[in-house]
């Protein structure tokens, strides 16, 4: 192994600026790819002025349910709303607790406060995935449900999670926003729990604009979710079995308007046709990329062994796990900085910050009742999170590029940037400020 000066210290970068043609980079990394048919379908909605109708949305829902393998699918204006509807549909209410992994986007669980319920944060494992071994600690007599998040497309370990949920009589909601179409042991994510909901917004793997979908096999959940956010379909055509809902037709029961914009559902119908094929190609490329880095100290791919029948769907925001001890304590922040200097900016540390660290879950009083909303109905000491979930902060991680297709020459170059930093990491030890390991509240300037 020859010593090479790292670019962050003034050496030659592995991928000098401009050495990958702009069109190649666009094809390789573009998140939302639209066919001419998708653009024409969107244009038709615009020209017809049918943004707010539901005819195209109804067709999309049928096609989505068939693809997902569930009896029902309902489209929403975004993923957060679809997850909110799922919470209403399972009956989440005042004083209930819902368990959620601490490392996820806020839209997985913050809405629980709107129902007078409380989020309880569960720890994660090295793959940044809900740790089933920490679930039972989180269960109390108030626990109503578990929010399972297939974070960064890594399928959660559903066998033990479902076993624990059944044993304690808990509902299970799956947040599939990162892993649409992914598999756990041959079975589609989003078909394990009572209901699943997901975002199809424009940077997600299944990118359709601003859109969400809820899927379920339960007629009751379908009807309740429909009535929650769809005033125009809260009527006898849709609500046939839930007698308790029948006095309340024509107004959305959540006091929210969840209807999808048909520009997005028109695009989504076309995206769905190409999605599985695109994901297969992404998996070929990403598995090839990770194979090139196999065996290096300090990093492990966050991916599943596909021979188990599981897969990583479209490798949404792919990350690696980071083990500083194997690199003489080099901080992941300095590691990522060094990789960015080699490859033109494709490596960030941290992913989402852990939710339990946000003041929303410590002190925020949504309804001005004088108590932080999260602990209004329980005697939880929120400082416990820092003790019991703090190990989550030690699960260091860094991002890697997501390649849309297998181009071995280009992928080899990106892999070489990571390899160079690892093989020459000693050069960084002196300049390492050992700063906080980082993460992001997406939408802020620290993105
Ligand atoms: C994006 C996302 C959501 C929310 O979806 P929106 O469509 O942005 O409202 C929920 N959960 C997770 C895990 C997400 O990444």
């Amino acid at each position: 192994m020859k010593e090479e000066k790292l670019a962050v210290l003034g050496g030659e970068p592995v991928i000098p600026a401009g050495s990958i043609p702009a069109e190649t980079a666009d094809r390789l990394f573009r998140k939302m790819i639209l066919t001419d048919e998708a653009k024409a379908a969107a244009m038709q909605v615009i020209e017809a002025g049918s943004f707010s109708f539901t005819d195209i949305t109804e067709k999309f829902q049928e096609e989505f349910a068939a693809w997902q393998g569930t009896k029902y699918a309902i489209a929403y204006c975004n993923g957060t709303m679809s997850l909110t509807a799922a919470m209403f549909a399972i009956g989440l209410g005042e004083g209930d607790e819902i368990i959620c992994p601490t490392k996820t986007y806020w839209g997985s669980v913050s809405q629980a406060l709107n129902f007078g319920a409380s989020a309880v944060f569960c720890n994660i494992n090295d793959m940044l995935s809900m740790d089933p071994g920490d679930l039972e600690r989180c269960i109390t007599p108030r626990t109503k449900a578990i929010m399972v998040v297939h974070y960064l497309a890594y399928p959660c370990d559903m066998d033990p999670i479902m076993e624990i949920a059944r044993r304690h009589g808990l509902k299970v909601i799956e947040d599939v926003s990162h892993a649409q179409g992914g598999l756990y042991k041959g079975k589609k994510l989003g078909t394990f729990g009572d209901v699943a909901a997901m975002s199809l917004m424009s940077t997600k793997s299944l990118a359709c604009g601003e859109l969400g979908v809820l899927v379920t096999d339960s007629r009751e959940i379908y009807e309740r979710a429909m009535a929650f956010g769809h005033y125009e379909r809260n009527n006898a055509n849709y609500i046939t079995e839930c007698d308790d809902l029948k006095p309340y037709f024509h107004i959305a029961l959540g006091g929210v308007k969840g209807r999808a914009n048909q520009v997005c559902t028109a695009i989504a119908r076309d995206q769905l046709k190409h999605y599985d094929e695109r994901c297969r190609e992404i998996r070929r490329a990403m598995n090839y990329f990770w194979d090139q880095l196999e065996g290096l100290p300090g990093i492990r791919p966050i991916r599943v062994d596909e021979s188990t029948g599981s897969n990583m769907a479209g490798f949404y925001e792919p990350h690696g796990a980071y083990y500083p001890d194997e690199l003489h304590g080099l901080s992941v922040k300095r590691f990522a900085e060094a990789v960015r200097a080699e490859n033109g900016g494709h490596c960030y540390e941290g992913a989402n910050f852990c939710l339990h660290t946000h003041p929303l879950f410590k002190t925020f009083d949504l309804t001005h009742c004088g108590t932080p909303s999260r602990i209004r109905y329980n005697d939880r000491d929120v400082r416990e999170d820092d003790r019991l979930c703090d190990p989550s902060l030690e699960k260091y991680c860094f991002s890697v590029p997501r390649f849309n297709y297998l181009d071995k020459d280009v992928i080899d170059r990106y892999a070489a940037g990571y390899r160079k930093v690892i093989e020459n990491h000693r050069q960084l030890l002196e300049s390492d400020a050992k700063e906080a390991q980082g993460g992001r509240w997406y939408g802020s300037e620290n993105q």
Side-chain angles (χ1 to χ4, degrees), residues 78-80 83 104-105 107-108 149 175 177-178 199 201 204 211:
N78 59 47
T80 305
L83 285 156
T104 181
Y105 176 75
S108 297
V149 184
D175 179 347
S177 300
H178 295 185
S199 170
M201 60 87 85
K204 298 284 153 75
L211 190 62

Side-chain angles (χ1 to χ4, degrees), residues 353-369:
F353 277 131
C354 289
L355 286 179
H356 76 265
T357 64
H358 197 285
L360 179 82
F361 297 106
K362 295 180 190 287
T363 53
F364 183 59
D365 177 3
L366 178 74
T367 56
H368 311 288
C369 67

Side-chain angles (χ1 to χ4, degrees), residues 323-343:
Y323 301 85
D325 291 351
E326 298 176 15
L327 298 172
H328 300 91
L330 178 69
S331 73
V332 68
K333 195 179 173 85
R334 186 67 175 146
F335 168 81
E337 217 165 37
V339 174
R340 287 200 297 277
E342 299 296 342
N343 74 10

Side-chain angles (χ1 to χ4, degrees), residues 260-273:
N261 179 329
Q262 291 209 120
V263 169
C264 299
T265 49
I267 289 172
R269 292 185 70 198
D270 190 69
Q271 291 296 65
L272 196 56
K273 289 183 198 154

Side-chain angles (χ1 to χ4, degrees), residues 363-391:
T363 53
F364 183 59
D365 177 3
L366 178 74
T367 56
H368 311 288
C369 67
T371 318
S373 300
R374 176 156 168 243
I375 51 166
R376 179 164 183 194
Y377 296 100
N378 62 34
D379 50 8
R380 237 165 231 282
D381 180 347
V382 291
R383 289 167 307 183
E384 289 251 296
D385 291 334
D386 293 335
R387 190 165 60 77
L388 298 168
C389 290
D390 221 26

